[in-house]
Amino acid sequence: VITYQIHNHYPEVVTEGIFDFMVMPCNDDSQVVTEVNFLNSLDEMVFQYKNVYGFDVTRLRTDKKFDNMDFTAKVKVRKRNAI
């Protein structure tokens, strides 16, 4: 399992925000992503889409007021042909 953890602190209160997460393991000849879980301290839903360049993006959008935000992605990867 690969875990990405992010903590953002803002000196002023944020009243609306969009957070894009663009770092993910890929599926290729050497590995396959078998499970992905996202958590965030704002308790907002995340959604995934492909941007105009074809890259996968995980996005969180909120209109809640906050000055700290935590985001965690847990990704389970299975290696192919592992020795």
Side-chain angles (χ1 to χ4, degrees), residues 10-63:
Y10 304 94
E12 302 292 330
V13 173
V14 178
T15 57
E16 182 179 8
I18 296 173
F19 177 78
D20 286 345
F21 180 74
M22 299 188 294
V23 179
M24 287 289 289
C26 65
N27 290 309
D28 62 16
D29 293 340
S30 68
Q31 66 187 21
V32 61
V33 175
T34 60
E35 188 177 328
V36 179
N37 291 307
F38 299 107
L39 301 169
N40 67 83
S41 60
L42 302 176
D43 200 30
E44 294 284 6
M45 288 185 58
V46 297
F47 62 94
Q48 296 178 294
Y49 70 97
K50 288 198 182 290
N51 67 13
V52 295
Y53 302 104
F55 295 108
D56 292 327
V57 178
T58 300
R59 177 170 277 185
L60 177 153
R61 183 169 184 217
T62 188
D63 58 2

Side-chain angles (χ1 to χ4, degrees), residues 70-82:
D70 294 302
F71 180 86
T72 301
K74 291 188 177 186
V75 184
K76 187 181 272 189
V77 177
R78 182 176 47 85
K79 293 303 232 177
R80 299 177 196 246
N81 302 322

